[in-house]
Amino acid sequence: KAGVTQTPRYLIKTRGQQVTLSCSPISGHRSVSWYQQTPGQGLQFLFEYFSETQRNKGNFPGRFSGRQFSNSRSEMNVSTLELGDSALYLCASSLGSSGGSDTQYFGPGTRLTVL
Amino acid sequence: QKEVEQNSGPLSVPEGAIASLNCTYSDRVSQSFFWYRQYSGKSPELIMSIYSNGDKEDGRFTAQLNKASQYVSLLIRDSQPSDSATYLCAVQYNAGNMLTFGGGTRLMVKP
């Protein structure tokens, strides 16, 4: 079974621009979660989508948004990029069972550099 | 504020030794616990999950959970240089599926 895929793998943008990242989950998985990883803050949860609905949201500004399509593929968008948005953006796929015990598998990530 | 704490390391062990990695968490309603391994420049890779108090073994890896003391640990037996990586502890709460991660422990296994 194919793993989680993310595109693009690397991205360079300038301040003020916007960016869209894409994630395709493992076949049969209905939940997609997004995380940001930086050296200073570590791995932080952005949001989770399940059945095309945002089910959980982390503590990030509204510039960060996402959506999920009917085939469970997900995109996240960051508008008005700031230098501090430079990070590894990770997508994780899971079955989506609620109440814990939902194992998440990570994609390879998108490395975003904001100049 | 739910917190997950790990010693950042580096933890250095000789090849063939047992590496012991520890993690504490702050919220008693935590439901599920996961250990991920992350090589430099790569994404986290799931090693083990544990949901109940006690030990869970998978090959050279043993996860230990003590909910009363709010800690979870990972033992790696017969450590190999290929085990050198950052090990991330993650906690999942009943209220949702989001994972809260510790800062990770960097493990170095010396030949």
Side-chain angles (χ1 to χ4, degrees):
Chain A
K1 188 182 276 191
V4 181
T5 59
Q6 291 186 245
T7 57
R9 293 292 310 279
Y10 302 91
L11 209 47
I12 299 176
K13 292 287 188 178
T14 56
R15 281 180 297 173
Q17 288 186 310
Q18 73 166 18
V19 66
T20 300
L21 312 180
S22 180
C23 172
S24 292
I26 293 169
S27 178
H29 285 191
R30 297 171 63 192
S31 171
V32 172
S33 297
W34 289 89
Y35 294 83
Q36 181 196 66
Q37 187 173 33
T38 59
Q41 299 299 317
L43 258 167
Q44 293 184 289
F45 173 78
L46 282 156
F47 31 66
E48 181 209 7
Y49 285 87
F50 178 80
S51 292
E52 302 179 63
T53 300
Q54 186 181 88
R55 189 161 66 170
N56 290 292
K57 187 177 187 307
N59 189 27
F60 277 81
R63 299 186 297 107
F64 293 82
S65 62
R67 60 177 174 168
Q68 186 179 36
F69 302 95
S70 59
N71 62 357
S72 295
R73 190 177 70 85
S74 177
E75 290 181 346
M76 70 164 280
N77 185 277
V78 187
S79 63
T80 318
L81 284 167
E82 301 177 359
L83 295 178
D85 297 332
S86 295
L88 180 65
Y89 289 88
L90 292 159
C91 161
S93 152
S94 66
L95 290 171
S97 51
S98 58
S101 307
D102 190 43
T103 303
Q104 296 183 18
Y105 300 89
F106 284 86
T110 295
R111 172 76 61 185
L112 172 64
T113 302
V114 181
L115 302 177
Chain B
Q1 179 81 9
K2 298 178 173 69
E3 292 184 347
V4 180
E5 300 287 341
Q6 295 182 256
N7 188 316
S8 61
L11 172 65
S12 182
V13 301
E15 183 175 355
I18 296 175
S20 178
L21 305 163
N22 299 312
C23 170
T24 59
Y25 58 95
S26 63
D27 198 315
R28 288 189 174 272
V29 299
S30 302
Q31 177 75 15
S32 307
F33 306 85
F34 303 86
W35 283 99
Y36 288 86
R37 176 175 62 195
Q38 187 173 28
Y39 292 110
S40 180
K42 302 295 185 182
S43 63
E45 169 193 11
L46 180 70
I47 297 176
M48 291 189 69
S49 60
I50 186 166
Y51 311 123
S52 304
N53 279 327
D55 295 358
K56 179 182 179 183
E57 187 174 319
D58 184 0
R60 297 187 295 113
F61 299 95
T62 298
Q64 299 174 318
L65 175 60
N66 184 321
K67 289 190 175 182
S69 300
Q70 294 176 239
Y71 84 77
V72 57
S73 62
L74 179 70
L75 300 178
I76 307 174
R77 290 180 300 280
D78 188 24
S79 296
Q80 301 297 310
S82 59
D83 294 325
S84 298
T86 296
Y87 289 79
L88 297 162
C89 170
V91 177
Q92 193 172 60
Y93 300 94
N94 282 343
N97 291 345
M98 61 174 280
L99 294 174
T100 299
F101 283 87
T105 298
R106 184 173 161 223
L107 173 66
M108 297 173 59
V109 181
K110 296 189 173 181

